[in-house]
Amino acid sequence: LLLERGYVEAPTPASADVVLLNTCAIREKAEAKVWTRLRDLRGRAPLGTRKDAPKKRQQVAVLGCMAERVKDGLFADGLADVVAGPDAYRRLPDLLEAAAGAPALDTTLSLVEDYGDVAPTRADPSLAHGSFVSIQRGCDNACSYCIVPYVRGRERSRRVDTILKEVSALYAGGAREITLLGQNVNSYHDRATASTAKVARTYSNDGFDPFVRHAKRDADVDGVRFAELLRLAADAAPDARLRFTSPHPKDFPDDVLEAIAEMPNVAKQLHMPAQSGSDAVLRTMRRGYDGAAYRELVARARRRIPDVALSSDFIAGFCGETDADHADTVRLLEDVDYDMAFLFAYSSRDRTPAARRLVDDVPEAVKKKRL
């Protein structure tokens, strides 16, 4: 988008006229790093107080989820000139132009923006042996601890043809590991493209009961769903390893597991974020399943995909978590025997249901001990 308006990449941040910070808001630590970087860029001094400031002031633009969450708070002390949320990138050139006179902000969330027609620019395409392709934006899951729906908006999927075009171009350019990206990647549904499979949405098993349901859309047999996309993408890059992240456990129906098992270049690895092994905590988290349903899914995945590698996410110290709840989580870790797991201490995020309605009552020391 910037290249089309005449911008070129600067060799270093210090020599740049514009610095872009792409941000995350999922945890407080991620935002703390951005605040530190902003102060470094501004010489840790408010606007106009640096004696060695260059005549032409460097513009700093904060993009992404933290921009969406903090909004004009990022203009404090002149730290940022432009604040653009995840759905405002098309306006970035205009915002930079407007910011020559005053700070510019656009944090409007969209129901349709997916950037499907915007081709990513890679610094050195010859080194892109591993690449990522975004197939979906936003999230409809409404887990009580998660800020994503409030900073990235409602779930929407890119058109299949734009995804396959990007996958094919990456493969032709030498990419041999391609990862499909989405916040709930396996709930992908391109309703605008005709499907050969014509299947309604089904969940992993009867024990999965999502907190948010879209009955009409779930029953829709038109449009391409994730299993069909996975097969098409694998065919488009036949010698490349295909991966996907991050999925939700509820969206591993039989056709998805069969596609993974049958396509030789789809990695036999599943990320199944459990978050907790306690039924009580899972209910408070609004995950839409209990431990028995999750364990049944794991068993079915191992039957359908022999030698499959499993990974997961877990949150320690969520609101109201007791020692007994934590013991249930440890038991799940031991029972499943994951190949890898990502472990986090609970970090309360404003605007989430947990921050509004629950009490973050597990002491930090206990959270760290449970980790």
Side-chain angles (χ1 to χ4, degrees):
L1 296 171
L2 291 174
L3 292 175
E4 291 174 357
R5 294 286 286 268
Y7 289 83
V8 295
E9 186 178 358
T12 65
S15 65
D17 296 315
V18 176
V19 175
L20 309 178
L21 296 183
N22 194 23
T23 65
C24 173
I26 198 74
R27 291 174 57 78
E28 185 178 358
K29 186 176 181 180
E31 292 192 0
K33 291 180 178 179
V34 175
W35 287 115
T36 298
R37 182 63 175 142
L38 285 169
R39 292 185 178 95
D40 286 342
L41 287 169
R42 289 301 191 220
R44 297 186 177 273
L47 174 63
T49 65
R50 284 184 58 188
K51 295 179 181 179
D52 61 340
K55 292 182 180 179
K56 183 177 180 181
R57 185 173 180 272
Q58 186 181 68
Q59 285 188 310
V60 175
V62 181
L63 317 178
C65 294
M66 181 176 171
E68 187 68 38
R69 192 190 77 80
V70 182
K71 301 185 188 300
D72 58 2
L74 288 158
F75 295 139
D77 293 332
L79 291 177
D81 302 290
V82 170
V83 173
D87 294 342
Y89 298 156
R90 291 184 192 273
R91 289 205 60 227
L92 186 55
D94 293 331
L95 291 170
L96 289 168
E97 203 171 290
L105 177 147
D106 188 343
T107 54
T108 305
L109 290 175
S110 169
L111 292 175
V112 297
E113 180 61 82
D114 62 15
Y115 300 109
D117 60 330
V118 179
T121 300
R122 292 172 171 84
D124 187 349
S126 67
L127 299 178
H129 55 276
S131 297
F132 298 89
V133 176
S134 177
I135 70 169
Q136 179 195 67
R137 296 181 69 81
C139 183
D140 286 349
N141 284 325
C143 300
S144 65
Y145 55 83
C146 187
I147 197 172
V148 169
Y150 307 96
V151 294
R152 296 191 74 83
R154 301 297 297 272
E155 184 177 297
R156 61 267 191 207
S157 299
R158 278 178 65 181
R159 287 180 58 99
V160 170
D161 58 337
T162 68
I163 295 169
L164 297 181
K165 181 180 178 181
E166 188 173 341
V167 168
S168 297
L170 287 169
Y171 179 69
R176 289 301 177 264
E177 181 165 292
I178 298 172
T179 303
L180 306 180
L181 296 177
Q183 188 63 37
N184 185 177
V185 67
N186 51 342
S187 70
Y188 175 89
H189 186 200
D190 171 15
R191 295 190 292 277
T193 300
S195 167
T196 58
K198 290 196 174 296
V199 294
R201 183 180 191 176
T202 55
Y203 295 103
S204 299
N205 61 50
D206 291 340
F208 286 82
D209 185 17
F211 183 80
V212 177
R213 277 185 179 266
H214 302 284
K216 185 176 180 180
R217 279 193 291 174
D218 287 355
D220 187 1
V221 298
D222 293 324
V224 174
R225 295 189 182 273
F226 186 65
E228 189 173 358
L229 172 67
L230 202 55
R231 292 179 182 274
L232 291 169
D235 286 338
D239 295 328
R241 180 186 290 114
L242 200 69
R243 298 183 181 276
F244 57 89
T245 198
S246 179
H248 191 287
K250 75 179 188 302
D251 289 305
F252 281 107
D254 286 344
D255 60 349
V256 171
L257 296 180
E258 287 166 4
I260 296 166
E262 293 171 8
M263 302 303 291
N265 57 330
V266 176
K268 308 311 182 229
Q269 184 267 328
L270 298 178
H271 187 59
M272 293 182 171
Q275 306 300 357
S276 177
S278 161
D279 289 352
V281 173
L282 288 170
R283 282 193 298 273
T284 308
M285 287 180 166
R286 306 200 311 199
R287 291 292 287 172
Y289 54 86
D290 58 18
Y294 183 89
R295 281 178 166 83
E296 195 282 328
L297 168 60
V298 169
R300 186 162 55 89
R302 284 179 164 153
R303 289 195 302 269
R304 295 294 181 94
I305 312 169
D307 299 320
V308 65
L310 297 180
S311 59
S312 191
D313 297 339
F314 288 93
I315 297 173
F318 185 63
C319 306
E321 184 187 68
T322 65
D323 288 341
D325 294 325
H326 175 65
D328 287 342
T329 297
V330 173
R331 193 172 301 112
L332 178 63
L333 280 158
E334 293 172 343
D335 291 348
V336 175
D337 191 20
Y338 297 97
D339 295 272
M340 182 172 62
F342 300 92
L343 313 176
F344 306 94
Y346 173 61
S347 174
S348 180
R349 311 305 292 138
D350 63 353
R351 297 169 63 183
T352 63
R356 296 195 307 268
R357 300 169 189 165
L358 302 175
V359 179
D360 183 9
D361 55 357
V362 179
E364 289 299 317
V366 175
K367 291 179 184 178
K368 291 179 180 178
K369 182 179 179 181
R370 289 176 182 173
L371 272 181

